[in-house]
Amino acid sequence: MSEEIRTNYIYEFTYGSGPGMKEIFRCKYVSPDEALKRFKKIVSVTESPFDFKIVISSETTGEESSFQVKGDIDEMIQKFKVFLETSTGYSFPETKIDASSTSSPELDFEAMSNYEKMQVVIYASFKHGKFSSLDVAEIYESTFNESLPKSTASTYLARMWDEGEGHLERYGNRSGYTYRLKTELKETQREVERSEEILSMIHLQVGK
């Protein structure tokens, strides 16, 4: 393994490989991106129902984080990505929403990631005033009829503020952040218009 991608993290996956059978898989010193790839590979060869316990420990600090996840494959992968980001500080590359998708007669919104859908909600629903992760989670759930934990919304908001296009302002501290869209920016206004179009198409498809 090349030195440039070596980390001090140890990953341990405990999961059921069959009725009454438990397996433990460990990998050391790989990047969070590589850990995600290995998790996907394990899931692909594991029979459902899925029930994973994942432990990430750092040899440098001795800190340990654990996580248990169940559900369908896509949901587990998305939750594991969030867990990796919050546990290691790593940020996966952001997937941009394709503006050309708004011109399609059928928008496959189910193929959008939770993070992409949350961005649509923010741009389309919070054009005025400040908002919190709880506000985002509530609008997300009413829009897509699926839950978004407040902790996940908080993580996504921090990521959008830290890595985004500078469209968000943040106020407060760790005990409670609020955000505001910089709608005075032309770039933000374009994102607002695009997200409103996407949301309109989603409402039309859901209403069919």
Side-chain angles (χ1 to χ4, degrees):
M1 184 180 298
S2 63
E3 188 173 295
E4 62 181 8
I5 61 172
R6 178 186 172 94
T7 71
N8 292 315
Y9 292 109
I10 301 173
Y11 306 85
E12 180 177 286
F13 303 89
T14 304
Y15 58 98
S17 58
M21 299 176 63
K22 286 287 184 182
E23 299 284 347
I24 297 178
F25 174 79
R26 293 185 181 92
C27 55
K28 294 184 176 183
Y29 314 134
V30 300
S31 67
D33 188 58
E34 178 63 26
L36 180 64
K37 291 178 183 177
R38 297 190 186 188
F39 177 65
K40 289 179 179 179
K41 187 173 183 180
I42 294 172
V43 170
S44 69
V45 297
T46 304
E47 295 182 8
S48 62
F50 302 105
D51 184 359
F52 281 80
K53 180 181 179 182
I54 304 164
V55 177
I56 300 178
S57 55
S58 170
E59 283 196 339
T60 303
T61 64
E63 293 181 350
E64 182 177 288
S65 300
S66 62
F67 176 65
Q68 192 153 358
V69 61
K70 299 180 181 180
D72 61 60
I73 293 177
D74 291 338
E75 182 182 3
M76 288 198 304
I77 290 173
Q78 186 63 35
K79 288 181 177 179
F80 183 46
K81 284 177 68 175
V82 174
F83 176 60
L84 282 169
E85 290 180 331
T86 55
S87 299
T88 67
Y90 178 82
S91 295
F92 288 93
E94 180 177 336
T95 303
K96 295 288 186 181
I97 299 172
D98 186 1
S100 64
S101 65
T102 60
S103 61
S104 171
E106 289 291 333
L107 174 66
D108 187 10
F109 71 88
E110 292 184 355
M112 296 167 62
S113 70
N114 292 347
Y115 182 64
E116 290 171 330
K117 288 189 282 189
M118 189 204 73
Q119 287 180 296
V120 169
V121 165
I122 289 172
Y123 283 116
S125 305
F126 297 103
K127 300 184 289 291
H128 309 290
K130 298 178 183 179
F131 56 92
S132 67
S133 56
L134 179 60
D135 297 324
V136 172
E138 289 177 348
I139 299 297
Y140 181 101
E141 291 178 15
S142 64
T143 301
F144 297 104
N145 197 28
E146 60 184 66
S147 64
L148 181 72
K150 181 178 177 292
S151 59
T152 302
S154 179
T155 299
Y156 285 169
L157 272 168
R159 174 178 166 187
M160 186 176 173
W161 172 76
D162 186 48
E163 300 178 9
E165 305 296 329
H167 297 172
L168 282 184
E169 287 182 336
R170 188 166 78 172
Y171 306 86
N173 51 49
R174 286 181 176 272
S175 63
Y177 289 115
T178 56
Y179 297 83
R180 185 188 76 85
L181 268 179
K182 297 180 182 178
T183 50
E184 64 273 15
L185 300 178
K186 292 290 186 183
E187 296 86 350
T188 305
Q189 293 169 15
R190 284 195 291 268
E191 291 294 335
V192 166
E193 292 174 1
R194 184 172 65 175
S195 295
E196 286 177 337
E197 289 181 22
I198 293 174
L199 210 56
S200 295
M201 294 184 69
I202 289 173
H203 287 154
L204 285 173
Q205 288 182 226
V206 171
K208 288 182 179 179

